Amino acid sequence: MSFQVGIVGLPNVGKSTLFSAITKKQVDCANYPFCTIDPNVGVVEVPDERLQKLAAASKSVKIVPTVIEFVDIAGLVKGAAEGQGLGNKFLAHIREADAIAQVVRAFEDSNVLHVDGSVDPVRDADTINTELALADLDVVTKRISGLERQLKSGSNKQAEAELATVRKALEELNHGTMLRSGTWTDEERVVLKGLSLLTFKPMLYVVNINEQQWQDGSWQERTATLQGRCVPICVKLEAELASMSNEEQSEYLATLGKAQSGLAELIQASYEALGLITFLTSGPEESRAWTVRRGAKAPEAAGRIHSDFETHFIRVEVTPWQDFVAFGEVACRAKALTRVEGKDYVMQDGDTCYFRVDA
């Protein structure tokens, strides 16, 4: 399962430089607004140290990680919802993403211009969030009008239920509430997701900081009032790390007192925001990571491997990855560390699985 995270923000906050670093794909990051015209898409591997250990235990020929898709979307400006800058064209690109990573700048650098003339990450976030909310207001208002016209021609319970949900969304937006923060039933969530509303999507704040702020944590003072998960990333450092080998990266990060890169933290935060977990398979041919939604049951996970597996699922043999690495597959069965689970089993992160299906 590949999922898409749209990288958004004001011009010159470091979006395209971040994208270039994490995908190792060069994009135009000139120091002027609107240099990114078409959304750049890059697919990157999700780092998972468990795979290397499982591959060693199984003597796997290859390792196959899961992936994440990042989309670099042109810088938004105040008035984008009314067509300012490059306007609604790029709001449409955001609607296609599963989650939003909003880049805000917290570092000072007189050589890098800011579209508003000064650095204020909270102000920048307010600008972007306002534009997203205005765009949602437009969608919701038009949908209400359409549903009201539909209901004038006769009673329709499905349309009535949707109208109630959309009117509730309109009220939340008019009160300045991001829809992701609202209280919704499962049925209401289906309606809102179907409308691709921007403020309903999970959002992370990627705080672009300098190396000193990354080490001393002083960036937190400038972002204390942001409502949501903040992921600090020194974009300049990530660009340097992108040119290093894995071993060189680890050594360099160790000198800074960091266990992982900003990219690794961003991926982890994206997983958490989207409610995703990873299960694993391992054998002589390959050790592989698979992604499913948190709460998914075993047949659905089997379907990630092959669509027929979900239909013909019988059972799954589950071994905690730590036990698999410590003792190996055969010994785990002998020690009763491998469990046999049925169709109602809820998958857990790190489950190492062998699925049994009908021939």
Side-chain angles (χ1 to χ4, degrees):
M1 174 185 292
S2 175
F3 61 97
Q4 191 178 88
V5 178
I7 303 175
V8 303
L10 295 174
N12 296 346
V13 295
K15 298 184 300 79
S16 295
T17 304
L18 172 63
F19 175 84
S20 182
I22 62 181
T23 62
K24 298 185 181 179
K25 176 180 178 182
Q26 186 62 42
V27 295
D28 188 358
C29 352
N31 185 24
Y32 58 88
F34 313 124
C35 66
T36 310
I37 302 303
D38 293 318
N40 295 287
V41 180
V43 178
V44 296
E45 297 178 352
V46 177
D48 193 332
E49 63 178 12
R50 297 174 296 190
L51 282 174
Q52 297 285 347
K53 297 176 181 179
L54 286 170
S58 297
K59 297 181 173 57
S60 303
V61 174
K62 63 179 179 178
I63 295 174
V64 184
T66 189
V67 298
I68 182 172
E69 192 171 290
F70 286 97
V71 183
D72 177 33
I73 298 167
L76 296 174
V77 293
K78 187 174 182 179
E82 286 77 42
Q84 294 296 317
L86 292 171
N88 288 322
K89 176 180 179 181
F90 298 103
L91 293 174
H93 291 314
I94 303 172
R95 293 193 191 284
E96 298 173 3
D98 299 299
I100 299 172
Q102 183 181 158
V103 182
V104 294
R105 174 179 162 188
F107 71 90
E108 301 282 352
D109 187 339
S110 59
N111 294 317
V112 181
L113 303 177
H114 191 286
V115 70
D116 287 329
S118 63
V119 175
D120 185 341
V122 174
R123 178 201 61 207
D124 293 354
D126 286 343
T127 298
I128 295 295
N129 289 337
T130 297
E131 293 307 317
L132 300 183
L134 288 172
D136 279 355
L137 274 169
D138 183 56
V139 171
V140 166
T141 301
K142 289 178 179 177
R143 185 56 182 160
I144 289 174
S145 297
L147 288 168
E148 287 176 341
R149 286 195 300 270
Q150 182 179 341
L151 287 171
K152 284 181 180 179
S153 62
S155 178
N156 183 319
K157 289 186 177 181
Q158 183 175 346
E160 289 173 358
E162 182 178 350
L163 180 59
T165 299
V166 180
R167 282 175 172 167
K168 179 180 174 182
L170 177 62
E171 184 177 354
E172 294 283 344
L173 289 167
N174 282 330
H175 282 87
T177 303
M178 299 291 102
L179 297 180
R180 73 182 69 88
S181 301
T183 301
W184 309 97
T185 65
D186 290 343
E187 292 76 12
E188 289 172 334
R189 288 181 175 278
V190 170
V191 171
L192 297 180
K193 187 174 182 180
L195 294 174
S196 297
L197 296 170
L198 302 175
T199 65
F200 188 62
K201 295 179 183 293
M203 177 180 283
L204 304 168
Y205 291 105
V206 181
V207 185
N208 189 4
I209 58 180
N210 60 33
E211 196 169 311
Q212 182 61 43
Q213 289 173 311
W214 197 40
Q215 290 182 276
D216 62 24
S218 58
W219 61 271
Q220 297 178 66
E221 299 173 6
R222 308 196 70 166
T223 59
T225 58
L226 287 180
Q227 300 297 312
R229 171 78 179 271
C230 291
V231 181
I233 293 184
C234 179
V235 173
K236 182 179 178 181
L237 176 61
E238 289 295 325
E240 296 175 6
L241 289 172
S243 63
M244 300 180 187
S245 67
N246 291 337
E247 184 177 346
E248 289 172 333
Q249 287 184 26
S250 297
E251 292 177 356
Y252 188 38
L253 288 169
T255 65
L256 300 174
K258 300 293 183 180
Q260 61 181 0
S261 69
L263 170 60
E265 186 173 351
L266 175 57
I267 292 172
Q268 182 180 1
S270 298
Y271 260 63
E272 292 173 359
L274 287 165
L276 301 172
I277 63 169
T278 300
F279 73 91
L280 308 152
T281 55
S282 185
E285 291 187 8
E286 68 177 28
S287 288
R288 184 164 184 159
W290 308 83
T291 300
V292 292
R293 302 281 180 181
R294 186 175 299 279
K297 293 186 178 181
E300 181 181 340
R304 296 302 310 144
I305 297 175
H306 193 290
S307 57
D308 289 345
F309 284 13
E310 183 169 4
T311 304
H312 299 288
F313 176 90
I314 299 176
R315 62 182 180 274
V316 59
E317 298 171 8
V318 181
T319 308
W321 75 270
Q322 300 94 328
D323 292 337
F324 194 105
V325 169
F327 305 109
E329 182 178 6
V330 175
C332 282
R333 295 179 191 277
K335 294 174 177 288
L337 296 173
T338 298
R339 310 185 314 276
V340 177
E341 301 287 356
K343 293 182 178 181
D344 292 330
Y345 176 68
V346 177
M347 301 296 295
Q348 301 298 311
D349 188 71
D351 281 347
T352 305
C353 302
Y354 186 86
F355 293 96
R356 300 285 184 178
V357 297
D358 287 331

